[in-house]
Amino acid sequence: MTLYLHDNSKLEDRNPNGTAGTTGGIGAKPAVVIGSANCKMPYANGQWVRYSVPITYQSQDNPAYLLLSFTAGNNFREVKEGDELWVDDVVLIYNPILSIDTVSPLQVAHHGSQGITLNVPYTFYSGTQDPVNPNAQNALRLYISDENGSFDNKTLLKTVN
């Protein structure tokens, strides 16, 4: 199995060395591979096996396309008569990303019982829906530490679904 996240260039996964390349002839724009994953799946005696393969990112660019290839042989050029590969339930899992939109950590000093307003600008890119429980929701929780900076006795300030 090979997977490539790439830009808007034409990309093929048919090179004998297992790397992706650009097609389109002389002068074609080289494809930009943003992330890739590779997994050789050994023979499993006909048993169902779960594989989890992380994507290794080469850049922080946003991909335009995903190219996912499965083959029963060692590569595209070495499939033999009788080779079989059965693929079922491919799930792409995206982990959520949270970025706090501040340059430095927020520090708040509070004395007495007077209330204060605390603004924490953030960007939350939601992850993959839970394939087992499609009604589950991602939740973002904001906690504040105690007066010593410890989160052992943290206080929940807000939850955003």
Side-chain angles (χ1 to χ4, degrees), residues 6-150:
H6 64 93
D7 67 355
N8 205 17
S9 303
K10 186 173 181 180
L11 184 88
E12 286 192 2
D13 183 21
R14 295 188 179 268
N15 293 332
N17 62 358
T19 60
T22 302
T23 61
I26 297 173
K29 176 186 169 199
V32 175
V33 174
I34 296 164
S36 62
N38 187 315
C39 178
K40 292 196 181 271
M41 300 172 186
Y43 180 66
N45 295 321
Q47 299 298 309
W48 185 90
V49 177
R50 179 186 183 271
Y51 292 95
S52 177
V53 184
I55 297 173
T56 302
Y57 287 88
Q58 284 81 36
S59 81
Q60 296 297 319
D61 295 339
N62 290 323
Y65 293 97
L66 177 143
L67 174 63
L68 178 61
S69 303
F70 291 92
T71 183
N74 288 335
N75 64 42
F76 285 103
R77 294 186 172 102
E78 292 185 17
V79 178
K80 299 176 190 139
E81 185 176 339
D83 284 348
E84 291 183 338
L85 173 67
W86 294 36
V87 178
D88 187 22
D89 295 334
V90 174
V91 177
L92 301 174
I93 298 175
Y94 297 88
N95 294 322
I97 298 172
L98 170 66
S99 65
I100 304 297
D101 301 328
T102 59
V103 176
S104 59
L106 296 173
Q107 294 184 351
V108 177
H110 179 64
H111 297 287
S113 60
Q114 185 178 2
I116 59 169
T117 301
L118 176 65
N119 293 314
V120 181
Y122 66 91
T123 304
F124 183 65
Y125 300 98
S126 182
T128 301
Q129 180 176 336
D130 185 338
V132 177
N133 180 5
N135 296 321
Q137 292 185 354
N138 289 324
L140 175 62
R141 293 179 180 86
L142 177 63
Y143 293 94
I144 192 166
S145 66
D146 64 17
E147 64 273 7
N148 298 315
S150 171

